[in-house]
């Protein structure tokens, strides 16, 4: 091979590239003698928005629907799939059922490395544009990405912005909304020994123009039945750090107190609970606070939320 030359593996456009993108890809040129950035990389940046949308669709895996990162695999008929989904389809193309090998779609990988696309949360307010590879990493942490429903009593799949989720909690989960930064809640359970079947409780508070979720639940900590109360902030972690809260439970002249920073609802409910980041009350202590009859749980949890100066 002569110095300065190179071998280029060309994947036919009909095998690896959607016909609807031919206009966007017609300007692509591979120059084996150039050591600079390929000229088609710059031309892709200037194609129309509709073409970029088509490219984004082309880079979507048909199995997981996430954007594909190199290595991008293709079947003998040119249908593409991300490498992480290969085992999920038993090594067979989900489109034509041909057996998948280890053939890489080099042309599509080149496209993925060279284009810049807007964040997929652009419609929610994100104005950032990134090279494709950086775009995927950005979207995983984008502050405009939807929040998951914070309700812990069911596997709710609803996601959206904070105003939408507040409305969803009130209308669909029948959660109470309270205005103010102090609270005084009473939790009653007729059979405190059925810890694993205790009702999940959630109350939403609005103060300082923000929304907070107060959780109260029962679960087994190892072999010990416990109750736990904690607060989550409906927003980003960076904003949650601007607030503090305290919780107090007591009776018979005794009390337990907790002070902490609310966790963002970006952290899943189970993650917060399993980190024990809240007020934990062992059942024997809870029953002692409940007037000592041990036949019924009657806990009064008070607290307040304040803003750090």
């Amino acid at each position: 091979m002569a110095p300065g030359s190179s071998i280029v593996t060309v994947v036919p456009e009909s095998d690896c590239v959607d016909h609807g993108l031919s206009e966007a890809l017609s300007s692509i040129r591979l120059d084996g003698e150039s050591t600079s950035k390929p000229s088609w990389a710059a031309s892709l940046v200037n194609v129309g928005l509709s073409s970029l949308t088509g490219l984004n669709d082309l880079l979507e895996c048909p199995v997981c629907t996430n954007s594909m990162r190199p290595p991008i695999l293709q079947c003998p008929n040119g249908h593409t799939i991300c490498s992480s989904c290969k085992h999920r389809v038993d090594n067979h193309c989900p489109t034509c059922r041909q057996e998948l090998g280890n053939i890489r779609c080099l042309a599509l990988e080149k496209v993925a490395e060279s284009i810049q696309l807007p964040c997929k949360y652009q419609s929610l307010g994100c104005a950032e544009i990134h090279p494709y590879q950086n775009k995927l990493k950005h979207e995983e942490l984008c502050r405009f990405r939807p929040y998951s429903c914070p309700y812990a009593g069911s596997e709710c799949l609803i996601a959206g912005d904070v105003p939408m989720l507040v409305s969803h909690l009130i209308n669909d989960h029948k959660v109470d909304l309270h205005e103010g930064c102090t609270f005084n809640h009473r939790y009653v359970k007729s059979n405190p020994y059925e810890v694993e079947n205790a009702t999940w409780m959630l109350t939403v508070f609005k103060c300082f123009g923000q929304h907070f979720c107060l959780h109260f639940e029962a679960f087994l900590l190892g072999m010990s039945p416990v109750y736990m109360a904690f607060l989550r902030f409906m927003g980003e972690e960076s904003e949650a750090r601007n607030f503090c809260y305290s919780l107090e439970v007591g009776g018979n002249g005794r009390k337990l107190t907790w002070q902490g920073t609310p966790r963002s609802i970006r952290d899943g409910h189970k993650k917060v609970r399993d980190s024990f980041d809240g007020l934990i009350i062992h059942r024997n202590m809870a029953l002692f606070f409940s007037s000592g009859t041990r036949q019924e749980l009657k806990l009064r949890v008070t607290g307040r939320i304040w803003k750090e100066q």
Side-chain angles (χ1 to χ4, degrees), residues 24 27 39-49 51-52 114-116:
S27 59
S39 59
W40 52 266
S43 67
L44 272 174
V45 176
N46 297 320
V47 301
L49 181 60
S51 296
L52 284 178
S114 304
I115 61 173
Q116 294 193 42

Side-chain angles (χ1 to χ4, degrees), residues 50-66:
S50 61
S51 296
L52 284 178
T53 302
L55 284 170
N56 202 25
D57 292 341
L58 184 68
L59 290 166
E60 181 181 282
C61 174
V63 178
C64 64
T65 70
N66 293 325

Side-chain angles (χ1 to χ4, degrees), residues 193-208:
Y193 294 94
E194 293 181 356
V195 170
E196 60 276 6
N197 297 320
T199 303
W200 305 77
M201 302 292 291
L202 174 64
T203 307
V204 176
F205 294 90
K206 182 179 181 181
C207 66
F208 300 110

Side-chain angles (χ1 to χ4, degrees), residues 57-107:
D57 292 341
L58 184 68
L59 290 166
E60 181 181 282
C61 174
V63 178
C64 64
T65 70
N66 293 325
S67 297
M68 295 185 287
R69 310 170 189 248
I72 299 173
L73 302 179
Q74 64 172 342
C75 76
N77 290 326
H79 303 122
T80 54
I81 185 174
C82 71
S83 57
S84 59
C85 282
K86 182 181 177 183
H87 72 281
R88 297 176 61 182
V89 294
D90 297 324
N91 203 36
H92 284 82
C93 174
T95 303
C96 66
R97 305 307 300 165
Q98 285 278 344
E99 185 174 355
L100 289 168
N102 293 307
I103 304 172
R104 292 173 60 176
C105 187
L106 301 183

Side-chain angles (χ1 to χ4, degrees), residues 198-254:
T199 303
W200 305 77
M201 302 292 291
L202 174 64
T203 307
V204 176
F205 294 90
K206 182 179 181 181
C207 66
F208 300 110
Q210 305 290 340
H211 290 87
F212 301 82
C213 296
L214 176 64
H215 295 264
F216 183 83
E217 61 185 75
F219 61 98
L220 291 173
L221 180 57
M223 296 299 292
S224 302
V226 298
Y227 298 91
M228 182 174 178
F230 57 91
L231 197 72
R232 288 202 291 169
F233 175 75
M234 297 187 73
E236 295 298 303
E237 181 184 353
S238 58
E239 299 171 276
R241 288 195 291 264
N242 295 325
F243 300 92
C244 285
Y245 75 102
S246 64
L247 296 172
E248 181 178 301
V249 61
N252 291 328
R254 280 88 168 170

Side-chain angles (χ1 to χ4, degrees), residues 150-224:
Y151 191 77
S154 64
E155 294 297 327
C156 184
L157 301 179
I158 295 295
D161 59 15
V162 172
M164 178 268 187
L165 285 182
V166 171
S167 177
H168 163 67
L169 288 169
I170 295 170
N171 297 324
D172 298 328
H173 294 298
K174 310 305 178 186
V175 169
D176 292 332
L177 173 65
H178 296 271
E179 300 267 355
C181 299
T182 61
F183 45 88
N184 187 336
H185 273 24
R186 192 174 184 222
Y187 298 99
V188 178
K189 183 166 177 60
S190 59
N191 188 354
Y193 294 94
E194 293 181 356
V195 170
E196 60 276 6
N197 297 320
T199 303
W200 305 77
M201 302 292 291
L202 174 64
T203 307
V204 176
F205 294 90
K206 182 179 181 181
C207 66
F208 300 110
Q210 305 290 340
H211 290 87
F212 301 82
C213 296
L214 176 64
H215 295 264
F216 183 83
E217 61 185 75
F219 61 98
L220 291 173
L221 180 57
M223 296 299 292
S224 302

